[in-house]
Amino acid sequence: MKRIILILFIVFNVQVVAAEPTQKEPLENCADVQFMYVWGEADDVKKFIAQPIDVKMKDLKFMENFPYFRFVKICERERLGREEEFDEEWTGI
């Protein structure tokens, strides 16, 4: 009986987590859009963009001459001084 309850609990939690859309922060949205603008919309670029931001920030091999973290730095500079406008512009992309 305990196993059945445990299995149902795990299945229910997985479904709840899968059903909730993940919303990216404006900074990540900005970096994703700029990354795709520079590198195109190839399948490998789309797969890379779909990863969590911590994975993208650590990867220095994918597009090594202009990696993802550089786009984040560009977006951070863009955000300075106009945070409210930046958040409005990059939320929901």
Side-chain angles (χ1 to χ4, degrees):
M1 183 67 173
K2 288 182 183 179
R3 275 192 213 175
I4 294 172
I5 293 173
L6 179 63
I7 291 171
L8 290 174
F9 179 75
I10 291 171
V11 169
F12 178 73
N13 281 336
V14 168
Q15 288 177 348
V16 168
V17 170
E20 294 177 6
T22 57
Q23 186 169 352
K24 295 181 181 180
E25 293 294 320
L27 187 64
E28 185 178 1
N29 278 333
C30 172
D32 287 353
V33 168
Q34 292 189 19
F35 188 84
M36 288 184 75
Y37 178 77
V38 171
W39 296 117
E41 294 189 27
D43 288 340
D44 56 343
V45 173
K46 288 180 181 179
K47 288 178 188 175
F48 181 80
I49 292 295
Q51 297 179 36
I53 191 164
D54 57 333
V55 174
K56 293 186 277 191
M57 291 292 286
K58 292 177 186 174
D59 190 343
L60 299 177
K61 294 180 183 174
F62 188 80
M63 306 299 184
E64 62 189 41
N65 53 345
F66 202 14
Y68 185 83
F69 78 88
R70 286 192 178 175
F71 291 98
V72 172
K73 296 296 180 190
I74 291 168
C75 290
E76 283 176 341
R77 277 186 270 149
E78 187 177 333
R79 186 177 195 164
L80 292 174
R82 58 180 199 99
E83 186 146 344
E84 290 176 12
E85 292 176 32
F86 181 93
D87 287 348
E88 288 176 12
E89 181 180 349
W90 295 106
T91 300
I93 292 176

